[in-house]
Amino acid sequence: MSLERADAPDISEQGLDPHRLFPADATSRKIATELYATVKDLPIVSPHGHTDPRWYAENEAFPDPAQLFIVPDHYVFRMLFSQGIDLSQLGVPRIDGGLSETDSRKIWRTFAENFHLFRATPSRMWLEHSFQEVFGWTKRISAQTADEAYDHIADCLTRPEFRPRALFERFNIEVIATTESPLDDLKWHRQIRDSGWKGRVVTAYRPDAVVDPEFEGFSANVEKFGELAGEDTTSWQGYLNAHRVRRAYFKSFGATSSDHGHATARTENLPAADAEALFQKALKGNCSPEEADAFRGHMLTEMARMSLEDGLVLQIHPGSYRNHSSGIMAAHGRDKGFDIPTQTSYVKALKPLLDAVGLEKDLSIILFTLDETAYSRELAPLAGVYPTLKLGPAWWFYDSPEGMRRYRELTTETAGFYNTVGFNDDTRAFCSIPARHDVARRVDCAYLASLVTSGRLDEDEAYEVAHDLTYRLAKQAYRL
Amino acid sequence: MSLERADAPDISEQGLDPHRLFPADATSRKIATELYATVKDLPIVSPHGHTDPRWYAENEAFPDPAQLFIVPDHYVFRMLFSQGIDLSQLGVPRIDGGLSETDSRKIWRTFAENFHLFRATPSRMWLEHSFQEVFGWTKRISAQTADEAYDHIADCLTRPEFRPRALFERFNIEVIATTESPLDDLKWHRQIRDSGWKGRVVTAYRPDAVVDPEFEGFSANVEKFGELAGEDTTSWQGYLNAHRVRRAYFKSFGATSSDHGHATARTENLPAADAEALFQKALKGNCSPEEADAFRGHMLTEMARMSLEDGLVLQIHPGSYRNHSSGIMAAHGRDKGFDIPTQTSYVKALKPLLDAVGLEKDLSIILFTLDETAYSRELAPLAGVYPTLKLGPAWWFYDSPEGMRRYRELTTETAGFYNTVGFNDDTRAFCSIPARHDVARRVDCAYLASLVTSGRLDEDEAYEVAHDLTYRLAKQAYRL
Amino acid sequence: MSLERADAPDISEQGLDPHRLFPADATSRKIATELYATVKDLPIVSPHGHTDPRWYAENEAFPDPAQLFIVPDHYVFRMLFSQGIDLSQLGVPRIDGGLSETDSRKIWRTFAENFHLFRATPSRMWLEHSFQEVFGWTKRISAQTADEAYDHIADCLTRPEFRPRALFERFNIEVIATTESPLDDLKWHRQIRDSGWKGRVVTAYRPDAVVDPEFEGFSANVEKFGELAGEDTTSWQGYLNAHRVRRAYFKSFGATSSDHGHATARTENLPAADAEALFQKALKGNCSPEEADAFRGHMLTEMARMSLEDGLVLQIHPGSYRNHSSGIMAAHGRDKGFDIPTQTSYVKALKPLLDAVGLEKDLSIILFTLDETAYSRELAPLAGVYPTLKLGPAWWFYDSPEGMRRYRELTTETAGFYNTVGFNDDTRAFCSIPARHDVARRVDCAYLASLVTSGRLDEDEAYEVAHDLTYRLAKQAYRL
């Protein structure tokens, strides 16, 4: 008996299991397989994400495998970092003047040597799906296959059929939303529109930089915001008008939603005078943390009121403790895998907003969470009664087979299927988009199959629901 | 490939799946089927619920399908409301002078047209079970079948075998508890008793109106309470005595339990002088929110002490944020589907009560939760050691197949089966009672079968436990 | 139809199911069985536990079945107590002068008569595994078999092959850690070392008594601590030096870890002057609860800094509300089954420690939780990015089949396998050690099999991971 770890064969060419993520028992597996066959080729509707509109505007080739799969993907580099590999070794840029690896092949080798760390993670599934389905690469990534894989993918990337627009079309994306700040001039969106290309790329209105008094450069941001909007944002009414103007501008580039990433789900519905006073304090940089929080909370209600006017769907993404490590923040800056979920309460937090606009049938608010305990306790009961509220899909760390399964098991019995909104890929990893939608389709079909097998849903209904969850609900909820 | 949602056949006549809610694998399914066969026909013991004693007293026909299934059922109308159907359209009464639909057929049609919203919810399962098993209606409800179903059920309701007492007997109810305020004269219970009918209907003591300083009309309630009890409730001792008197009165109508629905699980064991001072403040309407909360918490300990004297089982149902929407509260009043679960902590909250009476073997306290995170973290560890404590079944939004499964998976390993108390249907929807007990029996048998299949329980024991969970534990825990 | 509970046969001789805890479907079960075959006989690595080093030092016979299995096992006596059996009846010593049962056979009979209470609990599985695998007893424990079982086990205990060292060897324990206070002279460990016996028993440094200002006798403890270390612990630097000295002493007896059992996960990184001031207050017994908490939190950071010097792995075990019942504390003292888990937050709590040392690759901090909601929300995201952090296994009430399954399902997708550390048995119940490790191996193999069946892990990789989880990770994480 050997006490050392067994040697795994280094190369596997078995490829993706066609029945992956389906139930184990034969009856349910057969139903899931048949359900999936009816939805697997439906177009991708991607109503919330972070791909770069510049890709679609310029349609340049992606640089190389490491720049495509490793350097920008926080899921990938955080796992490698957790096992002692410096972010600098992975080519993640530094903001402190330090050096970071620029040899993409070297970065790729480091990744390949540590590929076992991703076992049973969604990253592994997304990566292998991309390698196989996008690039036709089916061997397992390892130290042995690293160079061959790198060369294979790098070669693909030089070819026209791997340019962003070609992939967009091959991925069968019917529409994709990007996310921009009100301070963005949307020039890439303009270039896409002017190019005559038929791919539908829309923006979304993400005003954190001008609604959060604690955002870096808040008052300068608000000043620039006023310039862009042609409004005097030193006054409260001018500031609100500037939102109206920029929202309309974003709508002219296809936006159907706004998006709000606060630390908590707090909302407020302050008297106008109080809101104005907070705004003036915020401009002067004098808000206490509590006042800043109240102002952010109040702005959600203002945004909801504007949504009633202009029809933008309002998305709330609360609960992330951003940039948790001071050391990484100092060396590499924001968004380096150190955003950590926290406990999030919704019931009292949303009451001011819901008392103001919660019964409006023409308003659509989509709630997300990083605290799964809120699914059955708070979010499904709220979305299962308020006509304005819908539940966004399993998000971020929960955008995974187990996370999606828990989401359905914890929300469906109280909120049903029709208070949910289909899938969001929420990604900046372009090649992972088909993989992520495929995981969601498979997990939903597996869940539906289990409902059929256990007599909780008739089989004919399961086909309709599978179609709804894959395609129709996203279009309807996001008004796309 | 069509991008539109598939058309579901509108009529299904397949009826309920006889193996519904059983495990998917053949071995476990067989065991579950055999276990279920031994418990499915056991009498219903319903120790906690909200059916109207007037039904049993007067034994009048139920009015019509909409008044029976839709108008009073908050699970049903909240789901419809969440998708933009006004409560007024569903016949839910208004308190603001507005009109509400009175045409029951029209209400029923609205329900039927939107029946797909209930897919995979427990409401769907309860409704279909009632339609099929109580009324012999097996087609799927839809716009097409709405009128036919309405006529069928309405016709049944005119017949004597669908009167409350006949259904009570047909449902094989051995005993059912209703819930009344100490201010209730129990006249319907008296009428049942005087009628000579043999159905066993008992009351339960629910004193929220006279123990919660924030309850509407608290001091007037306490005054009336004194009159009913023949005690001077302007004094603390008189007030406590009034409880003793009314509890005894309730016991004379079969009560074996009291029930307490506070916003939190807070308990207090205050010095008598402090309790008395709070009581006097409460009578004058001068309690701060904190003082009101402390008083409610203290009254749980007083109730527990009285339970030691008179043997009533004490039930604690904490954690609901009641009447969350101000707009609905103003238009339709209380209890309109807007009670939302909140985070609930038990460990520190229950310590004063448990230090006072927690080791008393003659006292039985049954804990419920709307926060499933407390099952494995707090409730099972508490009930698994304190002799007074037992765990109530999965409650309210969790009275569902997935909710019940999680309940067993999260509590059994620490608290075992014998610190649980069987099933509560907790319903005011009379025709759903057999359906709800059936779901509980099936889910428990499925869970037991999975334990047998995975070698965690011997098969002969599973039969005994199935019987205990279905029948014996409820009778024992509630002293019925 | 009988309404009474069915009679279970009192004696079962079927023994343990060889496929227990494996998945129900044939495909997954086959894979789990094959995986398990490769790890079931691997040596036991037990890096964290509470067995008594005196056993190994003196190698005396264990006294009798009740003293071995019931009196010291809080899992066992808490369940019996929850059903109304006094701790005194179970031989649990009193500290209030009251009498406690001393007749071990009588204690055993009480246990046997109530054996059904343990159905589907891990205690049942551990007990039956010990009875069968250690003592060759395969009948079910009951009133009928009580005496026969007692005699059988008692007879075994008189024989040399049931002495601690013989069992240690038969259990195939490669290394086991005990846990001692810095005030312990480690004389049993010295005796083990001096005996020439080859069994590897190491200690661990558990300084609660000298880092918690609220610990009984804190200032006297610190004084004795100084004497043992030869340092002047009336000064802050002397106190810190005393830790260094005692840690080195513990290392000389094989310690590779320290362990910290605070009520919360709070950490602090105070300026030295502030820490010193708190320390001086603590010595005088003048700390407020908040100050005591801050001091404990700061000491975690000090311990982490010392770990950077001396290489001890730091374990944090937060979240238990200790000795919850005042009545039991007064009658029986500490650690009598009344430690109850509480909500535990990690994200903000750990930030001071992590900002101080969280990016150090040579430091290893192992986090445990009694709040399962933190697994996916906080712990996996933290351990999945900080190189210092690893996740300890499912702990205490969650050291169970369902608890371990949830642990893997809730952590693997974000933290992977390689930020976990294998299994801890964490027990003082010596004969349960093989049972506990066997449960962990089975549950892990079942989980891995389900990953293979659902296409999330290749089969060859599953073998490697099974070996890692069973053996390699514990040795690596604990530097054993």
Side-chain angles (χ1 to χ4, degrees):
Chain A
M1 179 181 62
S2 162
L3 303 189
E4 295 311 302
R5 55 194 283 188
D7 279 330
D10 293 305
I11 294 171
S12 151
E13 208 152 353
Q14 59 193 73
L16 299 169
D17 181 341
H19 294 101
R20 63 191 181 279
L21 304 180
F22 292 160
D25 71 283
T27 310
S28 307
R29 179 163 282 208
K30 180 166 180 292
I31 296 169
T33 304
E34 290 169 358
L35 286 169
Y36 174 70
T38 69
V39 298
K40 76 184 173 65
D41 295 323
L42 285 173
I44 285 174
V45 176
S46 175
H48 177 94
H50 301 275
T51 57
D52 189 341
R54 182 173 182 173
W55 297 334
Y56 315 120
E58 301 203 312
N59 201 32
E60 297 290 338
F62 291 107
D64 64 61
Q67 291 296 329
L68 186 59
F69 284 113
I70 302 165
V71 178
D73 190 332
H74 54 80
Y75 288 95
V76 171
F77 62 65
R78 80 192 308 276
M79 178 64 91
L80 295 167
F81 185 71
S82 78
Q83 289 279 314
I85 298 161
D86 279 338
L87 294 184
S88 305
Q89 278 179 271
L90 298 167
V92 177
R94 300 186 70 117
I95 60 168
D96 62 355
L99 294 178
S100 194
E101 183 60 59
T102 54
D103 180 340
S104 283
R105 185 179 292 272
K106 215 164 150 190
I107 294 168
W108 180 265
R109 283 177 184 159
T110 301
F111 160 72
E113 287 158 12
N114 291 282
F115 195 66
H116 67 283
L117 298 178
F118 297 99
R119 285 173 179 162
T121 67
S123 294
R124 163 78 175 259
M125 190 165 276
W126 300 330
L127 289 165
E128 290 195 334
H129 187 283
S130 302
F131 296 157
Q132 175 169 322
E133 298 295 313
V134 183
F135 294 97
W137 172 267
T138 57
K139 295 183 192 174
R140 190 186 297 158
I141 298 295
S142 69
Q144 284 81 347
T145 61
D147 279 354
E148 192 190 346
Y150 186 90
D151 291 336
H152 176 89
I153 296 171
D155 176 65
C156 289
L157 290 175
T158 63
R159 284 143 57 188
E161 62 265 37
F162 290 89
R163 297 260 168 133
R165 291 185 184 179
L167 289 177
F168 185 103
E169 287 156 10
R170 188 171 139 205
F171 292 170
N172 196 18
I173 296 174
E174 182 173 311
V175 54
I176 197 167
T178 64
T179 303
E180 272 81 36
S181 159
L183 304 179
D184 192 293
D185 58 9
L186 304 184
K187 72 172 175 179
W188 304 118
H189 281 274
R190 181 180 301 277
Q191 187 170 328
I192 295 166
R193 189 170 68 186
D194 294 348
S195 75
W197 178 54
K198 296 240 174 83
R200 186 170 171 209
V201 180
V202 303
T203 183
Y205 189 74
R206 172 93 175 208
D208 296 1
V210 294
V211 301
D212 176 4
E214 295 176 328
F215 204 94
E216 290 169 348
F218 173 75
S219 67
N221 295 341
V222 172
E223 190 180 337
K224 184 180 171 198
F225 181 50
E227 287 163 17
L228 283 165
E231 294 283 339
D232 172 12
T233 50
T234 63
S235 84
W236 173 236
Q237 286 308 325
Y239 169 74
L240 292 180
N241 277 337
H243 278 292
R244 289 189 187 95
V245 169
R246 293 304 284 168
R247 290 167 65 103
Y249 184 73
F250 272 57
K251 281 187 72 175
S252 77
F253 288 95
T256 67
S257 65
S258 70
D259 182 30
H260 306 273
H262 298 183
T264 72
R266 177 174 181 176
T267 66
E268 291 291 347
N269 184 18
L270 302 171
D274 295 6
E276 179 165 4
L278 280 182
F279 175 67
Q280 293 302 338
K281 270 190 134 168
L283 282 188
K284 296 189 184 74
N286 291 338
C287 278
S288 68
E290 157 61 23
E291 289 169 331
D293 204 40
F295 185 74
R296 285 189 296 265
H298 178 76
M299 283 309 297
L300 284 177
T301 305
E302 291 292 351
M303 290 290 108
R305 279 196 274 258
M306 288 185 200
S307 285
L308 268 171
E309 298 168 8
D310 65 18
L312 291 189
V313 172
L314 188 144
Q315 301 172 88
I316 304 179
H317 281 92
S320 182
Y321 191 116
R322 304 272 172 181
N323 310 305
H324 189 265
S325 168
S326 304
I328 293 299
M329 183 67 178
H332 292 278
R334 295 180 162 274
D335 302 331
K336 293 301 174 291
F338 279 83
D339 296 347
I340 313 288
T342 56
Q343 286 184 43
T344 308
S345 295
Y346 293 84
V347 179
K348 288 175 196 169
L350 294 178
K351 187 167 163 57
L353 173 69
L354 292 172
D355 274 344
V357 297
L359 307 180
E360 297 286 352
K361 290 176 203 162
D362 294 336
L363 175 62
S364 182
I365 300 175
I366 302 177
L367 296 175
F368 294 80
T369 194
L370 290 174
D371 183 350
E372 295 177 291
T373 69
Y375 283 148
S376 68
R377 186 182 58 215
E378 305 179 29
L379 292 172
L382 285 166
V385 72
Y386 276 102
T388 46
L389 295 183
K390 298 281 176 291
L391 295 186
W395 176 40
W396 203 332
F397 295 109
Y398 315 117
D399 172 15
S400 62
E402 297 291 343
M404 291 174 183
R405 179 180 61 78
R406 289 195 293 270
Y407 170 79
R408 290 286 175 215
E409 289 180 356
L410 288 161
T411 67
T412 307
E413 293 183 326
T414 293
F417 292 111
Y418 296 100
N419 287 305
T420 64
V421 303
F423 181 63
N424 284 186
D425 56 68
D426 192 28
T427 193
R428 60 201 79 225
F430 187 50
C431 290
S432 77
I433 289 176
R436 289 169 192 254
H437 285 262
D438 186 65
V439 169
R441 292 171 188 196
R442 287 173 177 274
V443 172
D444 281 340
C445 288
Y447 176 66
L448 292 169
S450 76
L451 293 178
V452 171
T453 308
S454 60
R456 288 181 277 175
L457 189 69
D458 292 337
E459 194 164 349
D460 66 293
E461 296 179 292
Y463 282 91
E464 186 174 315
V465 176
H467 192 284
D468 290 342
L469 300 183
T470 301
Y471 183 77
R472 194 180 62 82
L473 285 174
K475 290 193 71 168
Q476 178 183 293
Y478 281 89
R479 304 177 177 181
L480 284 165
Chain B
M1 180 181 60
S2 162
L3 303 190
E4 296 311 301
R5 56 194 281 188
D7 279 330
D10 293 304
I11 295 173
S12 151
E13 208 153 353
Q14 61 193 74
L16 300 169
D17 181 341
H19 294 100
R20 64 192 179 280
L21 304 180
F22 292 161
D25 72 285
T27 311
S28 307
R29 179 162 282 208
K30 181 166 180 291
I31 296 168
T33 304
E34 291 170 358
L35 286 169
Y36 174 69
T38 69
V39 298
K40 76 185 173 64
D41 295 324
L42 285 173
I44 286 174
V45 176
S46 175
H48 177 93
H50 301 276
T51 58
D52 189 341
R54 183 173 182 171
W55 297 334
Y56 316 120
E58 301 204 313
N59 201 31
E60 297 288 341
F62 292 107
D64 64 60
Q67 291 296 329
L68 187 59
F69 283 112
I70 303 164
V71 178
D73 190 333
H74 55 81
Y75 289 95
V76 171
F77 63 66
R78 80 193 307 277
M79 178 62 91
L80 295 167
F81 186 72
S82 79
Q83 289 280 315
I85 299 161
D86 279 338
L87 294 184
S88 305
Q89 277 179 273
L90 299 167
V92 177
R94 300 186 69 118
I95 61 168
D96 63 355
L99 294 179
S100 194
E101 184 57 60
T102 55
D103 181 339
S104 283
R105 185 179 293 272
K106 215 163 148 190
I107 295 167
W108 181 264
R109 283 177 185 159
T110 301
F111 160 73
E113 287 158 11
N114 290 282
F115 195 66
H116 67 284
L117 299 178
F118 297 99
R119 285 173 180 164
T121 67
S123 294
R124 163 78 175 259
M125 189 165 277
W126 299 331
L127 289 164
E128 289 195 334
H129 188 283
S130 302
F131 296 157
Q132 174 169 321
E133 297 295 313
V134 182
F135 295 99
W137 173 266
T138 57
K139 294 183 192 172
R140 191 185 298 159
I141 298 296
S142 68
Q144 283 81 346
T145 61
D147 279 354
E148 191 189 347
Y150 186 90
D151 291 336
H152 177 88
I153 296 170
D155 177 64
C156 289
L157 291 175
T158 63
R159 284 141 60 186
E161 63 265 36
F162 290 90
R163 296 261 168 132
R165 290 185 183 178
L167 288 177
F168 184 103
E169 288 156 8
R170 188 171 138 207
F171 293 169
N172 196 17
I173 296 173
E174 182 173 311
V175 54
I176 197 168
T178 65
T179 304
E180 271 81 37
S181 159
L183 304 178
D184 191 294
D185 58 9
L186 304 185
K187 72 172 174 178
W188 303 117
H189 282 273
R190 181 180 300 277
Q191 188 170 325
I192 295 166
R193 189 170 69 185
D194 293 349
S195 75
W197 177 55
K198 296 241 174 81
R200 186 170 171 209
V201 180
V202 303
T203 183
Y205 189 74
R206 171 93 175 208
D208 297 1
V210 295
V211 301
D212 176 3
E214 295 176 327
F215 204 93
E216 290 169 348
F218 173 74
S219 67
N221 295 342
V222 172
E223 191 179 337
K224 185 181 170 198
F225 181 49
E227 286 162 18
L228 284 165
E231 294 284 340
D232 173 12
T233 50
T234 63
S235 84
W236 174 237
Q237 286 307 325
Y239 169 74
L240 292 180
N241 278 336
H243 278 292
R244 290 188 186 94
V245 168
R246 292 304 285 168
R247 289 167 65 103
Y249 184 73
F250 273 56
K251 281 187 72 175
S252 76
F253 288 96
T256 67
S257 66
S258 69
D259 182 29
H260 307 274
H262 298 182
T264 71
R266 177 174 179 175
T267 66
E268 291 291 347
N269 185 18
L270 302 170
D274 295 5
E276 180 165 3
L278 280 183
F279 175 67
Q280 294 301 339
K281 270 190 134 167
L283 282 187
K284 297 190 183 73
N286 291 339
C287 278
S288 68
E290 157 61 22
E291 289 170 330
D293 203 41
F295 185 75
R296 286 189 295 265
H298 178 75
M299 284 309 298
L300 284 177
T301 305
E302 292 292 351
M303 290 291 108
R305 278 196 274 258
M306 288 185 201
S307 284
L308 268 171
E309 297 168 7
D310 65 19
L312 290 189
V313 172
L314 188 145
Q315 301 170 90
I316 304 180
H317 281 94
S320 182
Y321 190 116
R322 303 272 172 181
N323 310 305
H324 189 265
S325 167
S326 305
I328 293 297
M329 183 68 178
H332 293 277
R334 295 180 163 275
D335 302 332
K336 293 300 174 290
F338 280 84
D339 297 346
I340 313 289
T342 56
Q343 286 184 42
T344 308
S345 296
Y346 292 84
V347 180
K348 287 175 195 169
L350 294 178
K351 187 167 164 55
L353 173 69
L354 292 171
D355 273 345
V357 298
L359 307 180
E360 297 286 351
K361 289 176 204 164
D362 294 335
L363 175 62
S364 183
I365 300 175
I366 301 177
L367 296 175
F368 294 81
T369 195
L370 291 173
D371 182 351
E372 295 178 291
T373 68
Y375 282 149
S376 67
R377 185 182 58 215
E378 304 179 29
L379 292 172
L382 285 166
V385 72
Y386 276 102
T388 46
L389 296 182
K390 298 280 177 290
L391 295 186
W395 175 40
W396 203 333
F397 295 109
Y398 315 116
D399 173 15
S400 62
E402 297 291 345
M404 292 176 183
R405 179 180 60 78
R406 288 195 293 270
Y407 170 79
R408 291 285 175 215
E409 289 180 357
L410 288 161
T411 67
T412 306
E413 292 183 326
T414 293
F417 292 111
Y418 296 100
N419 288 306
T420 66
V421 302
F423 182 63
N424 284 186
D425 56 67
D426 191 28
T427 192
R428 58 201 81 226
F430 188 50
C431 290
S432 77
I433 290 176
R436 288 168 192 254
H437 285 262
D438 187 65
V439 169
R441 292 171 189 196
R442 286 173 178 274
V443 173
D444 281 340
C445 288
Y447 176 65
L448 292 169
S450 75
L451 293 178
V452 172
T453 308
S454 59
R456 288 181 278 173
L457 190 69
D458 292 337
E459 195 164 349
D460 66 292
E461 296 179 292
Y463 282 91
E464 186 174 314
V465 176
H467 192 285
D468 289 341
L469 300 182
T470 301
Y471 182 77
R472 195 180 61 83
L473 285 174
K475 291 193 70 169
Q476 177 182 292
Y478 281 91
R479 303 177 178 181
L480 285 165
Chain C
M1 178 183 61
S2 161
L3 303 190
E4 297 310 302
R5 56 194 282 188
D7 279 330
D10 294 304
I11 296 172
S12 152
E13 209 154 353
Q14 61 193 75
L16 299 169
D17 181 342
H19 294 100
R20 64 191 180 279
L21 305 179
F22 292 161
D25 71 285
T27 310
S28 307
R29 178 162 285 208
K30 180 165 180 293
I31 297 168
T33 305
E34 291 169 357
L35 286 169
Y36 173 71
T38 69
V39 297
K40 76 184 172 66
D41 295 323
L42 285 173
I44 286 174
V45 175
S46 176
H48 177 93
H50 301 275
T51 58
D52 190 342
R54 184 173 182 173
W55 298 335
Y56 316 120
E58 301 203 313
N59 200 31
E60 296 289 339
F62 291 108
D64 64 60
Q67 292 295 328
L68 186 60
F69 283 112
I70 303 166
V71 178
D73 190 334
H74 54 80
Y75 289 95
V76 171
F77 63 65
R78 79 193 307 277
M79 177 63 90
L80 295 167
F81 186 71
S82 79
Q83 290 280 315
I85 298 161
D86 279 339
L87 293 184
S88 304
Q89 277 179 271
L90 298 168
V92 178
R94 300 186 69 118
I95 61 168
D96 63 354
L99 294 179
S100 193
E101 183 59 59
T102 55
D103 181 338
S104 283
R105 185 179 293 272
K106 216 164 147 188
I107 294 168
W108 181 265
R109 283 178 185 157
T110 301
F111 160 73
E113 287 158 12
N114 291 282
F115 195 67
H116 66 284
L117 299 178
F118 297 98
R119 285 173 180 162
T121 66
S123 294
R124 163 78 174 259
M125 190 164 276
W126 299 331
L127 289 164
E128 289 194 335
H129 188 283
S130 302
F131 296 157
Q132 174 169 322
E133 298 295 314
V134 183
F135 295 98
W137 173 266
T138 56
K139 294 184 192 172
R140 190 185 299 158
I141 298 295
S142 70
Q144 284 82 345
T145 61
D147 280 355
E148 193 190 344
Y150 186 91
D151 292 337
H152 177 88
I153 296 170
D155 177 64
C156 288
L157 291 175
T158 62
R159 286 144 56 189
E161 62 265 37
F162 291 90
R163 297 263 167 128
R165 291 185 183 177
L167 289 177
F168 185 103
E169 288 156 9
R170 188 171 138 206
F171 293 169
N172 196 17
I173 296 174
E174 182 173 312
V175 55
I176 197 167
T178 65
T179 304
E180 272 81 37
S181 159
L183 305 178
D184 192 292
D185 58 9
L186 304 184
K187 72 172 174 178
W188 304 118
H189 282 274
R190 182 180 300 276
Q191 187 169 328
I192 296 165
R193 188 170 68 185
D194 294 349
S195 74
W197 177 55
K198 298 241 174 82
R200 186 172 171 206
V201 180
V202 303
T203 183
Y205 189 73
R206 172 92 174 207
D208 296 1
V210 296
V211 301
D212 176 4
E214 295 177 326
F215 205 93
E216 290 169 348
F218 173 75
S219 67
N221 295 342
V222 172
E223 192 180 337
K224 184 180 170 198
F225 181 51
E227 287 162 16
L228 284 165
E231 294 283 341
D232 172 13
T233 51
T234 62
S235 84
W236 174 237
Q237 286 307 325
Y239 169 74
L240 292 179
N241 277 336
H243 278 292
R244 289 187 187 97
V245 168
R246 294 303 285 167
R247 290 168 65 103
Y249 184 73
F250 273 57
K251 281 188 71 176
S252 77
F253 287 96
T256 67
S257 67
S258 70
D259 181 30
H260 307 273
H262 298 182
T264 71
R266 177 173 180 178
T267 66
E268 292 291 348
N269 185 18
L270 303 171
D274 294 6
E276 180 165 3
L278 281 182
F279 175 67
Q280 293 302 338
K281 270 190 134 168
L283 282 188
K284 296 190 184 73
N286 291 339
C287 278
S288 68
E290 157 61 21
E291 289 169 331
D293 204 40
F295 185 75
R296 285 189 296 265
H298 178 75
M299 283 309 298
L300 284 177
T301 305
E302 292 292 351
M303 290 290 109
R305 279 195 273 257
M306 288 185 200
S307 284
L308 268 172
E309 298 167 10
D310 65 19
L312 291 189
V313 172
L314 188 144
Q315 301 171 88
I316 303 179
H317 282 92
S320 182
Y321 191 115
R322 304 272 172 180
N323 310 304
H324 189 265
S325 168
S326 305
I328 293 297
M329 183 67 178
H332 293 277
R334 295 180 163 275
D335 301 332
K336 292 301 174 291
F338 279 84
D339 296 347
I340 313 289
T342 56
Q343 287 183 42
T344 308
S345 296
Y346 293 84
V347 179
K348 287 175 196 168
L350 293 178
K351 186 166 163 58
L353 173 69
L354 292 171
D355 274 344
V357 297
L359 307 180
E360 298 286 351
K361 288 175 204 165
D362 293 336
L363 175 63
S364 182
I365 300 175
I366 302 176
L367 295 175
F368 294 80
T369 193
L370 291 172
D371 182 351
E372 294 178 291
T373 68
Y375 283 149
S376 67
R377 186 182 58 215
E378 305 178 29
L379 292 172
L382 285 166
V385 72
Y386 276 102
T388 47
L389 296 182
K390 298 281 176 292
L391 295 186
W395 175 39
W396 203 331
F397 295 109
Y398 315 117
D399 173 15
S400 63
E402 298 290 345
M404 291 174 183
R405 180 180 59 79
R406 289 195 293 271
Y407 170 80
R408 290 286 175 214
E409 289 181 356
L410 288 160
T411 66
T412 307
E413 293 183 326
T414 293
F417 292 112
Y418 296 99
N419 288 305
T420 65
V421 303
F423 182 62
N424 284 186
D425 56 68
D426 191 29
T427 193
R428 59 202 80 227
F430 188 51
C431 290
S432 77
I433 289 175
R436 289 168 192 254
H437 285 263
D438 186 65
V439 169
R441 292 171 188 195
R442 287 173 178 273
V443 173
D444 281 340
C445 289
Y447 175 66
L448 291 169
S450 75
L451 293 177
V452 171
T453 308
S454 60
R456 288 181 277 174
L457 190 69
D458 293 336
E459 195 164 349
D460 66 292
E461 296 178 293
Y463 282 91
E464 186 174 315
V465 177
H467 192 284
D468 289 342
L469 301 182
T470 301
Y471 183 77
R472 194 181 62 83
L473 286 173
K475 291 192 71 168
Q476 177 183 292
Y478 281 91
R479 304 177 178 181
L480 285 164

